Amino acid sequence: MEKIAVLTSGGDSPGMNACIRAVVRTALYYNMDVYGIERGYEGLINGDITRLNHRSVSDIIHKGGTFLKTSRCPEFKDLEVQKRGTYALSAYGIEGLVVIGGDGTFRGAKSLSDNFGIKVMGIPGTIDNDLAYTDYTLGFDTTVNTVLWAINNLRDTMHSHDRVSLLEVMGRNAGDIALYAGIAGGAEYILVPEVPYDLDEIASSIKKSNLRGKTSNTIVLAEGAGDREEIVQKIKEKTGINVKVTVLGYIQRGGSPNMADRVLAAKFAIKAVDLLKNGGESSAIGIKDNKIVAVPFEKAFNEKKVFDKDLFESARILGL
Ligand code: F6P
C-alpha cells in the first residue's frame, strides 16, 4: 500500500494529535504518502484532503484536541454519502484509511470497508472508555486525571465549609470516568449507569456520617446515571443538607495528553500503519491485557462492555 490518509471523528480526546503525528511519521518511515482529512467524515465527503509531511506534525505531541479538527457526521450513515467519500479517496489514489474516534466512527469505517473495499484501521479515540474490545481508549487516562484534579480542588473547599459536593462528569452512557476518578479521588459515592442506586439510602448514609462527625462528602455522578437536580433535591429533603453542584463539562475533553495516552497513541498508530502496509484486514485496534490487538469491527461491536463491579465495590468499602 503506497498512499494512506488519517482523520479524527466524533468527540475529540487528549492524545489525538499525538496519534496523528505517529500515523504520519510511521507512514513516512515506510515511504508511504500520507494525507490528512479535515473534520472527520464531513471532510472526506467534501474532499478536504491535504498531503502531510514530517513538519506537518511538528510540535503537536503535547497538544490536546486534533489539528485535523473533527465532526459528528450523521449523514455518513447513508451509503450514497459514503460513496462520495470514496470518490475523494480515489481522486488522490488513497488506498487505506486510519480513523481515530468512537463507536460511531467505527461504524462508518466498517461500512467503507464492507461496501467499498477501502482498508480501514480504527483507533479508539474517545474519553468515555466505552468500547468493550479494548481495555483503554485514547484520552481516557488524561481525562480521568483532569477529573481527579477537580475532585482534589473540590475536597479542599467542601471540607472548609462542611459541605457535600456533587460533581457531574462525562462518559455518555458509561461510568468508567466517574468510577476511576471517584476511586482515585476518595469519593464517598460514585453514581454510574451500570449500577442502580437508592437515593434514600444515600441520603440517610450522608446523614449518619454527618452525625458521626464526617462533615463533608463527595458524590461523583456520571452524566448517564441520573439527574443532578433530582439527586440534590432528594438529599435536601431527607437531610436538610445543601449539596453544592459542579458540572465539569467540556474541560474533560481538552488538556495536554499525559504519558499514558501519548505512549498509547504511538502504539495504536504504529499497529494501524503496519497492518495497512502489510495488507492487513480492516480492524479495530485496541489494547487487551497490555497487548496491542487488532480485531474485526464486527467483533469489536458485539463485545459487551464488562463494568468493573469489584473496583466499584471497593469505593463503597474505602469511601465511608
Ligand atoms: O463521547 C465523548 C463525549 O464527551 C461524551 O462523554 C459526551 O456526552 C459527549 O461527547 C458530548 O458530545 P458533544 O461534544 O457533541 O456535545
Side-chain angles (χ1 to χ4, degrees), residues 27-42:
L28 295 171
Y29 175 77
Y30 289 138
N31 298 316
M32 297 162 100
D33 293 351
V34 56
Y35 295 78
I37 299 172
E38 291 207 12
R39 294 187 174 81
Y41 291 130
E42 191 185 302

Side-chain angles (χ1 to χ4, degrees), residues 200-277:
D200 287 319
E201 225 177 79
I202 291 172
S204 41
S205 161
I206 289 174
K207 186 84 186 158
K208 262 191 239 132
S209 68
N210 208 300
L211 295 173
R212 274 202 325 265
K214 186 180 182 67
T215 58
S216 77
N217 281 273
T218 301
I219 304 167
V220 179
L221 170 69
E223 64 181 339
D227 177 279
R228 57 179 179 266
E229 293 315 326
E230 191 193 308
I231 294 167
V232 169
Q233 193 51 37
K234 175 64 86 173
I235 293 173
K236 172 119 176 114
E237 273 163 21
K238 290 278 293 188
T239 68
I241 293 172
N242 250 332
V243 179
K244 297 301 177 190
V245 175
T246 304
V247 180
L248 206 47
Y250 291 89
I251 288 172
Q252 297 164 88
R253 287 262 287 275
S256 177
N258 63 10
M259 179 280 291
D261 278 322
R262 295 187 199 192
V263 172
L264 198 56
K267 288 180 173 180
F268 282 165
I270 291 168
K271 181 73 175 177
V273 177
D274 270 349
L275 284 170
L276 287 175
K277 175 175 167 291

Side-chain angles (χ1 to χ4, degrees), residues 97-140:
L97 261 186
V98 176
V99 298
I100 307 168
D103 59 356
T105 305
F106 282 16
R107 293 191 189 284
K110 181 176 185 305
S111 185
L112 280 175
S113 178
D114 293 352
N115 298 304
F116 302 99
I118 310 282
K119 283 288 172 69
V120 190
M121 299 301 157
I123 290 179
T126 169
I127 67 169
D128 298 341
N129 206 46
D130 57 353
L131 297 170
Y133 80 95
T134 180
D135 291 339
Y136 295 107
T137 57
L138 187 61
F140 171 67

Side-chain angles (χ1 to χ4, degrees), residues 3-5 33 35 37 43-49 81-97 112 116-119:
K3 295 188 177 186
I4 67 170
D33 293 351
Y35 295 78
I37 299 172
L44 177 60
I45 50 186
N46 297 333
D48 296 336
I49 301 176
V81 175
Q82 291 171 20
K83 193 187 277 184
R84 281 199 351 243
T86 63
Y87 296 152
L89 294 177
S90 44
Y92 288 85
I94 293 168
E95 308 148 280
L97 261 186
L112 280 175
F116 302 99
I118 310 282
K119 283 288 172 69

